[in-house]
Amino acid sequence: MTKLKIGDKAPDFQAKDQDGNPINLSQFRGKKLVLYFYPKDDTPGCTAEACDIRDNYNSYLQKSYAVVGVSGDSEASHRKFREKYQLPFPLISDTDRKVLEAYGAWGEKSMYGKIFKGIIRMTFVISEDGLIEQIIEKVKTKEHTKQIFDLSAH
């Protein structure tokens, strides 16, 4: 598994959002992209993270950021999750894990002493010209926007 670093060219991707619309990296050229990976729709941590971004979404727009969430859930699951919490940004359904693997967000995790493969919660901020500007590996779900903006100020 390739470990991406700040300054690397962000891997291109082709995927579909909750409504089956194609999404790829190049459509975000000219604005910053917050690409966040999360384990599962409608679970406590993932909901807190999505709602924190939702509640601060105007700040993202004011700073010319686009936001896209990615998990392995189906389009239908994403649609329900998005509607239930009125999320204003698209969610990529990455059931074949191509985007997750390209960004290193699929790998070994451990819980209660058991090791298993799964989605690693992490966020990438990608510059207007497609380079990785930030990588957040220790996501604070309830204050993720603050993490993103505090780091981008440095």
Side-chain angles (χ1 to χ4, degrees):
M1 175 172 83
T2 327
K3 182 110 169 103
L4 296 170
K5 300 178 298 308
I6 290 174
D8 285 353
K9 188 170 176 10
D12 198 6
F13 59 84
Q14 294 281 336
K16 290 201 176 0
D17 72 8
Q18 69 286 339
D19 298 319
N21 299 315
I23 293 193
N24 59 52
L25 183 61
S26 60
Q27 74 194 65
F28 298 101
R29 280 263 185 232
K31 48 172 55 178
K32 290 185 189 274
L33 172 63
V34 173
L35 189 64
Y36 83 96
F37 295 88
Y38 66 98
K40 188 133 188 61
D41 288 342
D42 218 359
T43 55
C46 298
T47 300
E49 183 178 15
C51 289
D52 174 71
I53 294 170
R54 176 203 65 202
D55 294 347
N56 293 285
Y57 195 61
N58 280 338
S59 299
Y60 288 93
L61 296 177
Q62 287 165 357
K63 295 173 185 276
S64 292
Y65 280 62
V67 178
V68 176
V70 183
S71 83
D73 293 307
S74 69
E75 290 172 24
S77 173
H78 279 345
R79 225 176 0 265
K80 273 196 241 159
F81 184 49
R82 212 166 158 253
E83 286 167 14
K84 182 174 180 180
Y85 295 101
Q86 285 128 28
L87 305 178
F89 47 86
L91 300 174
I92 288 177
S93 174
D94 191 28
T95 54
D96 61 6
R97 300 198 294 262
K98 284 193 168 100
V99 184
L100 290 159
E101 288 174 357
Y103 281 83
W106 176 262
E108 280 194 356
K109 297 169 64 164
S110 92
M111 190 185 289
Y112 309 118
K114 288 195 185 320
I115 299 211
F116 60 96
K117 290 240 187 215
I119 296 173
I120 299 162
R121 186 186 308 278
M122 59 194 322
T123 298
F124 292 84
V125 177
I126 301 167
S127 72
E128 295 85 347
D129 50 3
L131 300 177
I132 295 173
E133 279 189 350
Q134 280 174 248
I135 302 170
I136 302 171
E137 295 186 68
K138 295 201 178 344
V139 171
K140 295 177 181 162
T141 58
K142 291 185 171 109
E143 48 192 74
H144 196 39
T145 296
K146 183 178 175 352
Q147 268 186 307
I148 290 166
F149 291 156
D150 283 357
L151 282 171
S152 70
H154 296 138

